[in-house]
Amino acid sequence: MDESSLNAYKQLFHALSLIPISHYVLAFTLIWALFLYNFLEIHFFQDLFCALRSAPVALTFHPSSHIYHGVVSKCRILHGSYFATPWLSSPHFQTAFLNFFGNPPVFSYKRQLFHASDGGTIALDWLTSSDVSRGTFEMNDAVSKDDTTPLVVVIPGLTSDSTSAYIKHLAFGMAKRGWNVVISNHRGLGGVSITSDCFYNAGWTEDIRIVIDYLHHHYPKAPLFAVGTSIGANILIGDRFICRRLVQKLYDRAIAIGLQGYAKLHEPRYSRLANWEGIKKSCSIRDFDNSATCLVGKFETVDTYYRHCSSSSYVQNVSVPLLCISALDDPICTREAIPWDECRANKNIVLATPQHGGHLAFFEGITASSLWWVRATDEFLGLLHTSPHMHVQKAENSELQLSVGSSTDQGPYVNIAEDGMVATVGNEHASKNVVEHLPGLGKIHNKECDQMVSATEQKQYLMEAKSDIAANAAQVSGQCSNLQGAKSLDVIAPVKRCLNHLSRQNRKSMWVLAYIAIITSWPIVGSAFRIFSRKKLGNVSLATSHGR
């Protein structure tokens, strides 16, 4: 390098040295803020600009959809716009706030224990319209068998149970409307111990089948609706495995840690049924599924399990009114997971995709006191209940169920071979399911009100149950959901080796919270660093000027 070049560099470095350090800090802060704004998908400024020209919620449906023209077209909320709470203008902020706080209404459930034929225990938590209207909780105020009040069955999402904030928002909203709500907690969740070798996972649908069948038999006059959330929607119609970007990998790792924590709570069973060393070394959900779910659920490979959970083959067969709600910025169930073409091809489905909302959040208002999707769900189910489509669907679905029933519809699992053939797995007959009523949520119970549904009763109501369930089931989902129709209790297939993907809501791993906290706290940390740097640099500049 010649002397002239060296002189040029010297002059450049001299000029750079004359720039105050505070300017460098400011430039770094701006660059870092822009990076975080994009990385965390913050949309605060977009919302300010869109406030003057609101973007409506995008609706996808078949042009001849009677559900859209007869029900959804009358839903003002779905035809309006969703504006996120300004200080939660990021899907990650929304998702984190829902998990940490959520602003749920305060109330108590009435607990009922449902004992499956394989020995498993399912906690059913009830909230009736009378509980909300009176504002008091009475333990002995059970729903009458002849009650005609609409009944909503809610299926929680991953790591969630009836105490989750978004579940309480939904339950309270529906009960306030005047309907009865029952949350069907997954096995091992809701404060109930695992009592059999059968665990919950995303491919297991038998629990919700027998619960809905029981509700239809026990409350035959009550119109029945179903709402699935997150992976709870998957239990109704399945879900294609989500595509993961860098930020999704953080969620992936966090959820895997939560699953490991849940497995440790039931270590005696997991160590016996699964690869315990593999579970402890799992760094992702896929690792956990490979070490646990496939072994316990008897899936050949992880890919086989994920193909079994794929929604594409299920969505096209939906034959009851179905509204799917999924935010396009959902950080967990991304837009790539949405079965767009299948929803568009089915006349019974309407897909609503707001631009923002995060995962199961959709907070709105300055105080983030309500969830937009809960209000949309309430309006849709109310209009559906008063429409003729439920009764039309009864006749159509009854014929459909009788004409296309097959052996693959009798078991809780199906295996998909490499050549595409589908076969039933674990199709054993059950003898009975026991229901146990508890006086209150979380209290020690007395076995004073056991009730059995015998195989004779099951056969007697088989034909009626199939048509009734197909008629009255309606479904709303955080991403997409559907009620496939309940099956008779005498064809329950207890599979004794199926793994629970979920961890308990009240015992989350601290690592899960730490990961989300790191993701969502960067803007605050950056701002604090900038203020601290300004003060520090100001003191240094002042001392320098005095020295001169």
Side-chain angles (χ1 to χ4, degrees), residues 98 101-107 163-169 363 369:
L98 178 67
F101 307 102
N103 291 340
V106 179
F107 59 84
T163 62
S164 299
Y166 66 94
I167 295 294
K168 299 192 78 171
H169 275 285
F363 285 101
S369 58

Side-chain angles (χ1 to χ4, degrees), residues 22-32:
S22 60
H23 291 191
Y24 284 110
V25 174
L26 179 59
F28 174 80
T29 303
L30 290 176
I31 294 173
W32 182 245

Side-chain angles (χ1 to χ4, degrees), residues 54 169 181 222 228 234 246-247 515 546:
S54 59
H169 275 285
V181 183
N234 178 41
L246 175 60
V247 67
Y515 267 102
H546 283 305

Side-chain angles (χ1 to χ4, degrees), residues 32 54 79 120-121 124 174 226 229 292 325 372 396 426 440 481 512 529:
W32 182 245
S54 59
H79 282 83
T121 304
L124 303 180
M174 299 308 303
T229 57
I325 301 178
W372 175 88
E396 294 175 355
S481 55
V512 178
F529 178 78

Side-chain angles (χ1 to χ4, degrees), residues 154-221:
V154 181
I155 309 171
L158 186 63
T159 72
S160 300
D161 57 19
S162 59
T163 62
S164 299
Y166 66 94
I167 295 294
K168 299 192 78 171
H169 275 285
L170 176 63
F172 188 81
M174 299 308 303
K176 193 174 181 179
R177 165 179 280 275
W179 293 11
N180 297 325
V181 183
V182 57
I183 291 86
S184 179
N185 294 285
H186 304 302
R187 298 189 183 207
L189 295 175
V192 177
S193 300
I194 295 292
T195 56
S196 75
D197 286 349
C198 189
F199 294 84
Y200 161 79
N201 64 48
W204 177 258
T205 62
E206 188 64 14
D207 284 350
I208 192 60
R209 290 176 185 268
I210 62 176
V211 167
I212 288 179
D213 199 48
Y214 160 74
L215 293 174
H216 261 296
H217 289 316
H218 204 70
Y219 308 102
K221 297 182 180 180

Side-chain angles (χ1 to χ4, degrees), residues 341-352:
D341 295 335
E342 292 85 349
C343 290
R344 188 178 292 107
N346 194 317
K347 296 181 180 180
N348 297 303
I349 299 176
V350 175
L351 170 64

Side-chain angles (χ1 to χ4, degrees), residues 390-408:
M390 291 178 59
H391 306 289
V392 171
Q393 284 297 119
K394 180 175 182 178
E396 294 175 355
N397 284 332
S398 179
E399 297 175 2
L400 180 64
Q401 292 281 352
L402 295 177
S403 63
V404 301
S406 66
S407 63
T408 61

